[in-house]
């Protein structure tokens, strides 16, 4: 039986309408390429809209001592030296112009007293660096790109889900999608495809992500022969809401700590002072007085003369610290830690953190200008993703590009807060530019009927069953399993169990039954997402099992601490004959001039620390 | 917060599509701290996997989950069950319907594409060619309020010009008037949108009932800060003779 479907032809198809996808499509369309965006939800609703704290770029507005070298250094150091240094270099150098460009497209960032874009402090950034709008920076970014994008002549397919990439030989030639509303099928011929589908954090039960974060782009890439890297590195953000149960995991922006928020345990102790790792020793305040002075200087717009509070250590460090406090019996009533910002006063909180104030008031009945919040770690971001060429963002599959969270390389073992929004606009632009360039010299690929029909068959399969499990049940159980066995702290035994469990989830997903309706049937959509989630969870678990050390967003109870050799090795995930496999590749040696830049910055930071010690005596 | 754990709660939710759409009865057990969207998800998960509902952020940031709860337009993810239970007479079901002003698709989902089509017709920002724009926080403040819009379209759903009179071809609706205000009041924008605000976008249809402002979950002062300001510009332009002369002489738009 052959199914009807509609056909389209484009130069460039961008899958995803978050910051990365919109920026890629704008760039592609500006060069004259016939461009379309396909997105699972409505325009402006992608995950990017939720980003809160800000967008990192060394604009040098808030502190003239900043610059691309310092941003480059901070990103590499935050990544535990596993980031692709070429990407980190492009990012540090190009992000400022990408931010200024947003301003010309209508973004209205918070201002400095000198009338320029203001910047705030965030964990791991040496200087105040995050351009922001209160705590709703993602909204500003996506709305600006959306409002620009609709005037560039881009066709936008809303509530279409791509489930299959078409190929001809080893290159991609298009994709097949179903519509969420009607369950109709659509086949797109494209000379280049840009994946901008975001992340995978729905694979864990406590997460900050929406239903969209099922790893679609990661899976589409893997299935079509592209390589993934760094899949073991998952960022657990230290501060998610922990209570009430229905909001567990929803994010509390790092901006709270950037604005002076203090973390305490049930004994009232500022415990972060006890968790400063050796790598960061000397970079952070050693006393409560020094912390308080830093906050005072920074919020009054002065250059900081002392070191920052330990609450602003990188996310992996803070998440593990909270985890340890809870395990040691010093947690808050609902199993988290206390985060208190009330000392900043109601006026400042309403100005700087309005949506946090609203969120806690409405969802938890807590007034953060008077009481502390309860917070705990939540699965937040995947550093791993499609392995791409730093300059062009093309994967190893010709014609298949990736940018934003679905791509990898910029963040290595750990992403710095604010480095994602800047990643989206920097590499979104590059992906769009090179995807369009490639399309220029190619003929329009023909749509291969047989491939489309077999893709449609896979999509219709769940609806043609007459009985089976509710996909929602499998979905919930799988997420609980990943949370328990491949969470913040990992062991060989548990992950081996997880690999076995994933096999049985794979069998179960293939026999689930969501009912027979094709019209806006969320159960059907979920049934199709299950396969992505099984494969991507397998990829993450396999990589995590292989890396026998702890580094950044990957912590092994059985291998505590970093191991030097692993600092020079990447795990590459690929699919061969339908089986997900892993292999190791050495990290490429950094270019000499960049090594020089790192040295320069290190010396500058050491000098500041020494000055600090001196003035304390 | 009042604990609702263990309470059985009845709902009437609009199910189906076209002529067959109608209110159906559901009943679930509540948990502590739930919002309305959690209840809809529980029903979807445990009883009706093919129930259609839009959501993304679950934190009032994306504007996907708009609906009419007990007749009041609200975001399902930001409406606490403790409040809804308290406002519903004992023993009565809680009623959830999709937004009424837009074409119905299925269950709680409506077709809101009209809002995007109007947005497409609004001229984008037009400012200096050079980068590094300079303006101060006070100037930013005026516009930032409008940029907090999460595009939930609850205001549009509530406005009688659209909901009751269906003047979709003649009136831009409060959401897009907010967008126009955001551009018009941008400190460095030089585009002139006043003619279309009057004609194409039909600002004069708005008779300042303030219903839109009342339902806005982002707390935007839609009527007072956006619409009335735009109305004043229209009045100044078309009904103030001095300004007309100024414009003819200088060919410039008056800066505020
Ligand atoms: C609560 C929260 C706060 C954050 N705060 C910050 C911050 O302050 N600073 C920062 O730098 N980063 C922050 N991040 C991270 C950052 O927001 C995300 O990493 C980033 O927005 C991802 O953008 P993206 O463009 O890659 O993908 P997204 O914005 O997630 O967009 C993905 C798009 O792909 C589409 N899509 C997915 N699968 C398919 C498919 N199969 N078919 C069709 N379309 C598909 C979706 O519909 C969507 O349009 C935050 C994240 C969260 C969750
Ligand atoms: S104030 Fe104007 S736009 Fe708002 S609801 Fe009333 S008539 Fe509609
Ligand atoms: S103005 Fe308010 S009510 Fe209207 S769409 Fe925006 S956020 Fe929603
Ligand atoms: S789900 Fe985003 S506003 Fe309700």
């Amino acid at each position: 039986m052959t199914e009807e479907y509609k056909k389209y032809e484009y130069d460039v198809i961008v899958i995803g309408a978050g910051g990365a996808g919109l920026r890629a499509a704008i760039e592609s369309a500006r060069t004259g390429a016939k461009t379309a965006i396909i997105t699972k939800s409505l325009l402006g609703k992608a995950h990017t809209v939720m980003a809160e704290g800000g967008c990192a770029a060394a604009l040098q507005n808030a502190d003239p001592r900043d610059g691309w070298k310092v941003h480059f250094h901070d990103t590499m150091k935050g990544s535990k030296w596993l980031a692709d240094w070429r990407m980190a270099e492009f990012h540090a150098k190009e992000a400022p112009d990408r931010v200024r460009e947003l301003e010309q497209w209508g973004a209205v960032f918070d201002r400095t007293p000198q009338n320029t874009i203001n910047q705030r402090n965030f964990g791991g950034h040496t200087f105040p660096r995050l351009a922001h709008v209160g705590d709703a920076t993602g909204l500003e970014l996506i709305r600006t790109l959306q409002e620009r994008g609709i005037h560039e002549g881009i066709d936008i397919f809303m509530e279409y889900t791509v489930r299959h990439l078409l190929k001809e030989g080893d290159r991609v030639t298009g994709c097949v999608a179903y519509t969420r509303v009607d369950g109709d099928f659509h086949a797109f011929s494209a000379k280049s495809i840009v994946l901008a589908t975001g992340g995978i954090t729905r694979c864990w039960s406590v997460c900050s992500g929406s239903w969209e974060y099922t790893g679609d782009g990661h899976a589409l890439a893997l299935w079509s022969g592209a390589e993934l890297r760094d899949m073991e590195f998952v960022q657990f953000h230290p501060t998610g809401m922990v209570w009430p149960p229905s909001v567990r995991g929803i994010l509390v922006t790092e901006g709270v700590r950037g604005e002076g928020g203090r973390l305490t345990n049930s004994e009232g102790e500022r415990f972060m002072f006890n968790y400063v790792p050796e790598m960061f020793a000397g970079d952070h305040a050693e006393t409560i007085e020094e912390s308080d002075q830093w906050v005072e200087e920074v919020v009054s717009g002065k250059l900081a003369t002392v070191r920052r509070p330990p609450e602003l250590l990188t996310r992996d460090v803070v998440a593990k610290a909270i985890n340890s406090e809870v395990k040691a019996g010093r947690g808050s009533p609902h199993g988290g830690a206390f985060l208190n910002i009330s000392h900043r006063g109601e006026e400042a909180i309403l100005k700087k953190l309005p949506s946090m104030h609203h969120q806690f008031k409405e969802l938890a009945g807590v007034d953060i200008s008077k009481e502390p919040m309860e917070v705990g770690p939540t699965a937040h971001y995947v550093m791993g993703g499609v392995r791409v060429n730093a300059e062009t963002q093309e994967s190893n599959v010709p014609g298949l590009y990736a940018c934003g969270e679905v791509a990898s390389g910029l963040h290595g073992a750990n992403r710095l807060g604010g480095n994602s929004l800047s990643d989206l606009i920097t590499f979104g632009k590059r992906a769009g530019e090179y995807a369009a360039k490639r399309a220029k010299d190619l003929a329009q690929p023909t749509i291969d009927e047989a491939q489309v029909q077999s893709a449609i068959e896979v999509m219709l399969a769940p609806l043609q069953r007459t009985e089976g499990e509710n996909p929602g049940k499998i979905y919930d159980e799988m997420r609980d399993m990943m949370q328990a066995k491949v969470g913040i702290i990992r062991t060989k035994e548990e992950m081996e169990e997880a690999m076995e469990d994933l096999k049985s989830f794979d069998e179960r997903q293939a026999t689930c039954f969501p009912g027979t309706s094709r019209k806006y049937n969320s159960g059907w959509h979920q049934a199709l997402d299950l396969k992505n989630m099984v494969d991507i969870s397998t990829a993450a678990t396999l990589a995590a099992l292989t890396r026998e050390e702890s580094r950044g967003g990957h912590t092994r109870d059985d291998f505590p601490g970093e191991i030097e050799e692993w600092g020079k090795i990447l795990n590459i995930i690929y699919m061969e004959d339908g089986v997900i496999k892993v292999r190791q590749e050495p990290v490429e040696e950094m270019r000499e001039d960049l090594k020089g830049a790192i040295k320069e910055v290190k010396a500058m930071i050491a000098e500041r620390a020494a000055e600090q010690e001196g003035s304390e005596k | 917060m009042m604990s609702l754990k263990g309470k059985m709660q009845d709902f009437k939710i609009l199910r189906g599509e076209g002529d067959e759409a109608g209110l159906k009865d559901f009943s679930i057990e509540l948990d502590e701290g739930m919002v309305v969207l959690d209840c809809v998800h529980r029903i979807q998960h445990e009883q009706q996997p093919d129930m259609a509902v839009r959501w993304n952020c679950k934190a009032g940031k994306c504007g996907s989950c708009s609906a009419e709860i007990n007749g009041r337009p609200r975001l399902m993810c930001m409406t606490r069950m403790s409040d809804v239970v308290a406002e519903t007479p004992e023993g009565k079901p809680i009623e959830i319907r999709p937004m009424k002003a837009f074409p119905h698709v299925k269950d709680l989902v409506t077709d809101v594409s009209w809002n995007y089509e109007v947005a497409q017709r609004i001229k984008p920002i037009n400012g200096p060619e050079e980068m590094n724009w300079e303006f101060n926080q006070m100037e930013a403040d005026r516009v930032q309020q409008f940029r907090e819009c999460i595009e939930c379209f609850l205001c549009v759903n509530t406005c009688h010009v659209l909901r009751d009179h269906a003047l979709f071809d003649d009136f831009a609706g409060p959401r897009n008037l907010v967008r126009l205000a955001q551009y018009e009041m941008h400190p460095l924008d030089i585009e002139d949108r006043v003619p279309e605000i009057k004609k194409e976008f039909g600002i004069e249809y708005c008779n300042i009932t303030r219903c839109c402002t009342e339902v806005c979950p982002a707390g935007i002062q839609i009527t007072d800060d956006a619409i009335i300001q735009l109305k004043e510009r229209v009045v100044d332009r078309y009904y103030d003779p001095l300004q007309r002369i100024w414009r003819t002489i200088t060919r410039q738009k008056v800066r505020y």
Side-chain angles (χ1 to χ4, degrees):
Chain A
M1 185 189 72
T2 58
E3 269 287 326
E4 298 258 319
Y5 62 89
K6 262 181 130 163
K7 288 186 190 178
Y8 309 82
E9 291 184 345
Y10 285 96
D11 290 330
V12 176
I13 296 247
V14 178
I15 307 174
L22 285 166
R23 189 63 190 82
I26 290 172
E27 200 60 25
S28 164
R30 286 169 100 188
T31 68
K34 190 179 174 206
T35 307
I37 291 182
I38 305 178
T39 151
K40 283 207 282 194
S41 49
L42 298 175
L43 196 54
K45 311 294 180 198
H47 230 263
T48 300
V49 81
M50 292 180 232
E52 295 163 350
C55 175
L59 297 163
Q60 299 175 295
N61 291 350
D63 195 322
R65 294 172 295 184
D66 203 4
W68 78 261
K69 287 180 188 171
V70 195
H71 195 182
F72 172 73
H73 160 273
D74 293 350
T75 302
M76 289 304 301
K77 183 176 175 186
S79 82
K80 320 293 165 185
W81 308 102
L82 278 192
D84 177 333
W85 45 264
R86 283 192 199 83
M87 282 178 81
E89 181 194 9
F90 284 135
H91 171 251
K93 286 181 173 166
E94 294 170 10
D97 271 354
R98 295 288 82 76
V99 170
R100 294 182 188 115
E101 185 176 75
L102 286 178
E103 184 168 61
Q104 290 184 301
W105 295 349
V108 180
F109 293 104
D110 286 355
R111 317 308 290 177
T112 61
Q114 292 74 41
N115 299 347
T116 54
I117 297 174
N118 201 358
Q119 297 175 278
R120 73 156 47 111
N121 283 287
F122 242 51
H125 293 281
T126 303
F127 296 113
R129 188 176 285 147
L130 273 66
H132 60 274
V133 183
D135 53 5
T137 315
L139 170 62
E140 191 67 14
L141 194 120
I142 200 166
R143 198 69 80 237
T144 302
L145 291 171
Q146 173 188 345
E147 286 176 344
R148 178 77 192 187
I150 57 174
H151 296 291
E152 295 285 357
I154 303 162
D155 289 343
I156 300 170
F157 296 86
M158 296 199 278
E159 300 193 309
Y160 283 55
T161 304
V162 174
R163 190 54 180 51
H164 183 85
L165 297 182
L166 295 169
K167 286 189 73 178
E168 189 183 291
D170 63 352
R171 67 168 183 145
V172 295
T173 51
C175 61
V176 186
Y178 64 88
T179 59
R180 300 178 65 77
V181 174
D182 300 315
D184 290 343
F185 297 107
H186 301 259
F188 297 81
S189 153
K191 299 172 188 172
S192 304
I193 292 227
V194 180
L195 293 172
T197 51
I200 69 167
T201 48
R202 272 269 139 186
C203 297
W204 287 268
S205 55
V206 180
C207 75
S208 64
S210 77
W211 63 271
E212 298 204 275
Y213 264 30
T214 45
D216 301 14
H218 288 76
L220 290 169
L222 193 61
W223 298 338
S224 65
E227 291 171 350
L228 310 181
R229 56 170 275 190
D230 301 337
M231 289 302 291
E232 63 273 45
F233 299 117
V234 177
Q235 180 166 78
F236 288 84
H237 194 292
T239 60
M241 292 177 82
V242 296
W243 195 90
S246 71
V247 300
R248 192 174 186 108
I250 290 183
L251 195 76
V252 179
T253 175
E254 184 168 328
V256 175
R257 282 169 289 138
E259 296 290 335
R262 299 164 181 166
L263 281 168
T264 53
N265 59 23
S266 60
E267 290 161 13
E269 188 191 9
R270 286 274 292 268
F271 59 84
M272 281 313 299
F273 286 103
N274 311 331
Y275 289 92
V276 182
E278 209 174 309
M279 183 182 182
F280 292 100
D283 296 2
H284 289 75
E286 274 156 38
T287 61
I288 293 188
E289 292 71 36
E290 188 179 351
S291 288
D292 289 352
Q293 190 186 337
W294 181 90
V295 173
E296 214 167 277
E297 288 177 353
V298 165
V299 303
S300 60
K302 295 196 200 110
L303 297 187
T305 62
V306 294
R307 294 166 295 178
R308 57 190 37 220
E311 272 86 356
L312 286 173
L313 278 156
T314 52
R315 289 181 175 172
D316 53 322
V317 177
V318 183
K320 279 180 247 171
I322 295 177
N323 206 51
S324 307
E325 288 296 308
V326 174
K327 276 207 172 147
R330 294 188 293 269
S332 64
H334 302 98
F338 294 107
L339 175 62
N340 199 341
I341 185 75
S342 61
H343 52 278
R344 286 289 312 277
E346 191 168 338
E347 196 186 328
I349 290 168
L350 285 176
K351 177 72 205 155
K352 285 297 182 183
L353 302 162
S355 84
M356 281 304 108
H357 185 262
H358 187 69
Q359 182 175 314
F360 270 88
K361 206 159 192 154
E362 293 302 319
L363 298 176
V366 168
D367 180 352
I368 68 167
S369 68
K370 303 199 171 61
E371 329 159 56
M373 302 159 242
E374 267 189 79
V375 295
T378 179
H380 181 56
Y381 185 90
V382 61
M383 273 67 78
V386 183
R387 189 188 198 194
V388 291
N389 174 298
E391 192 186 346
T392 64
Q393 299 294 105
E394 193 170 17
S395 69
N396 59 305
V397 174
L400 183 64
Y401 297 75
C403 57
E405 192 166 340
V406 67
S408 64
L410 177 61
H411 311 294
N414 178 54
R415 171 180 75 94
L416 296 186
N419 263 1
S420 169
L421 292 184
S422 46
D423 172 4
L424 309 182
I425 47 180
T426 305
F427 294 104
K429 175 184 184 287
R430 281 185 169 270
E433 180 183 337
Y434 286 93
K437 214 175 247 175
R438 173 188 156 88
K440 273 214 171 83
D441 312 320
L442 290 177
Q444 194 71 45
T446 43
I447 292 174
D448 176 2
E449 183 79 15
Q451 274 187 62
V452 178
Q453 286 301 344
S454 75
I456 291 176
E457 223 166 86
V458 172
M459 288 188 258
L460 285 178
L463 301 177
Q464 282 157 354
R465 295 176 197 134
T466 48
E467 54 171 18
E469 259 183 299
N470 181 340
K473 190 159 174 281
I474 307 175
Y475 183 87
D476 287 348
E477 284 178 25
M478 186 158 72
R479 298 176 65 209
D480 285 341
M481 186 283 288
M482 285 299 285
Q483 186 76 28
K485 298 182 181 169
V486 198
I488 303 190
I489 311 286
R490 303 160 172 183
T491 66
K492 180 165 189 257
E493 288 68 38
E494 283 177 345
M495 286 192 288
E496 278 172 350
E497 273 176 44
M499 290 298 279
E500 286 309 308
D501 293 349
L502 285 165
K503 279 185 204 148
S504 78
F505 283 117
D506 198 11
E507 285 161 19
R508 282 168 67 186
Q509 67 83 20
T511 57
C512 71
F513 177 54
T516 54
S517 164
R518 270 162 73 167
K519 277 219 158 184
Y520 225 115
N521 180 350
S522 313
W524 177 39
H525 307 156
Q526 204 164 42
L528 296 177
D529 291 344
L530 284 174
K531 180 62 180 164
N532 311 340
M533 293 170 74
V534 166
D535 282 0
I536 291 313
S537 299
T538 304
T541 310
L542 185 60
L545 200 49
T546 313
R547 184 172 286 272
E548 297 190 324
E549 66 155 353
S550 298
R551 182 182 295 271
H554 169 67
T555 305
R556 293 279 300 253
D557 209 24
D558 42 1
F559 295 96
E562 291 180 8
I563 291 173
E564 210 184 317
E565 296 83 79
W566 272 110
K568 303 190 181 83
I569 296 173
L570 297 178
N571 278 326
I572 309 291
I573 298 280
Y574 60 103
M575 197 171 223
E576 203 170 64
D577 306 323
V579 182
I580 297 167
K581 297 181 176 172
V582 63
R583 67 162 194 275
Q584 279 78 45
E585 268 188 31
V587 171
E588 205 181 320
E589 183 85 10
M590 192 185 285
R591 225 172 51 218
E592 282 307 315
D593 60 313
L594 293 177
K595 280 188 190 164
I598 297 271
K599 258 195 211 131
E600 215 176 283
V601 176
K602 274 188 173 159
M604 186 260 299
I605 293 173
E607 208 172 290
R608 285 180 73 202
E611 269 169 32
Q612 196 42 49
E613 299 261 310
S615 68
E616 261 171 25
K617 274 169 198 154
Chain B
M1 236 191 277
M2 165 175 64
S3 175
L4 295 172
K5 198 168 171 60
K7 179 180 162 53
M8 285 305 291
Q9 177 66 47
D10 294 333
F11 290 86
K12 274 192 185 299
I13 302 181
L14 192 104
R15 274 283 267 160
E17 50 188 297
D19 295 341
E20 279 158 34
L23 287 172
K24 297 269 151 54
D25 294 315
F26 301 97
S27 187
I28 55 159
E29 192 183 320
L30 300 183
D31 262 328
E32 219 165 5
M34 279 177 122
V35 293
V36 173
L37 184 63
D38 294 320
C39 297
V40 174
H41 277 158
R42 179 161 286 182
I43 293 166
Q44 189 186 48
H45 244 62
E46 294 173 358
Q47 307 170 24
Q48 305 272 316
D50 65 348
M51 181 145 85
V53 55
R54 281 198 186 106
W55 68 283
N56 270 26
C57 68
K58 242 182 137 269
K61 296 192 168 108
C62 72
S64 301
C65 64
S66 306
E68 300 186 4
I69 304 160
N70 283 344
R72 254 179 70 199
R74 301 180 248 190
L75 295 177
M76 286 188 277
C77 74
M78 294 303 278
T79 306
R80 277 190 280 177
M81 280 306 290
S82 52
D83 295 340
V84 186
V85 168
E87 77 185 21
T88 311
E90 187 59 42
K92 277 265 162 68
I94 291 168
E95 197 181 283
I96 311 176
R97 292 171 174 272
M99 288 193 283
K100 175 171 171 264
F102 301 109
H104 188 224
V105 175
K106 187 190 161 198
D107 305 339
L108 296 175
V109 171
T110 58
D111 177 0
V112 293
S113 55
W114 172 79
N115 298 286
Y116 293 96
E117 285 154 23
V118 176
Q120 183 112 40
R121 304 205 308 262
I122 295 176
K123 287 185 205 142
I125 190 110
N126 180 5
E129 294 275 329
E130 313 78 49
M131 284 186 166
N132 282 321
W133 288 8
E134 286 189 15
F135 52 89
N136 64 36
Q137 186 61 46
M138 253 163 55
E139 292 171 301
D141 280 340
R142 287 205 299 172
V143 192
Q144 280 179 335
Q145 179 194 175
F146 305 135
R147 301 188 61 89
E148 284 168 19
C149 169
I150 57 172
E151 306 214 302
C152 63
F153 309 124
L154 285 170
C155 55
V156 179
N157 178 54
T158 312
C159 176
H160 69 100
V161 180
L162 302 161
R163 190 182 175 103
D164 301 331
H165 305 289
L167 292 169
F168 288 93
D169 292 336
D170 309 305
F171 183 53
R175 191 297 170 240
N176 276 306
L177 291 173
V178 167
R179 195 190 312 273
L180 283 156
Q182 143 206 314
Y183 288 140
E184 283 291 301
M185 292 181 208
H186 189 290
L188 299 185
D189 176 75
I190 53 161
E191 188 69 63
D192 181 11
R193 301 175 190 81
V194 173
E196 53 263 42
I197 290 172
K198 175 171 161 53
K199 294 187 200 97
E200 190 184 342
F201 299 132
I203 192 155
E204 282 154 15
Y205 283 104
C206 163
N207 55 348
I208 323 191
T209 60
R210 294 197 170 79
C211 310
C212 52
T213 306
E214 262 168 48
V215 298
C216 176
I220 301 171
Q221 291 301 311
I222 305 175
T223 322
D224 289 7
D225 292 355
I227 298 181
I228 293 183
Q229 302 294 320
L230 293 179
K231 275 178 177 279
E232 280 175 4
R233 287 174 193 221
V234 169
V235 169
D236 287 348
R237 171 78 58 90
Y238 290 94
Y239 308 101
D240 176 346
L242 275 179
Q243 288 226 12
R244 274 174 102 151
I245 296 166
W246 166 258
R247 252 188 327 115
T248 332
I249 301 171
T250 63
R251 299 191 171 277
Q252 266 176 19
K253 116 175 174 189
V254 180
R255 302 294 318 172
Y256 293 84

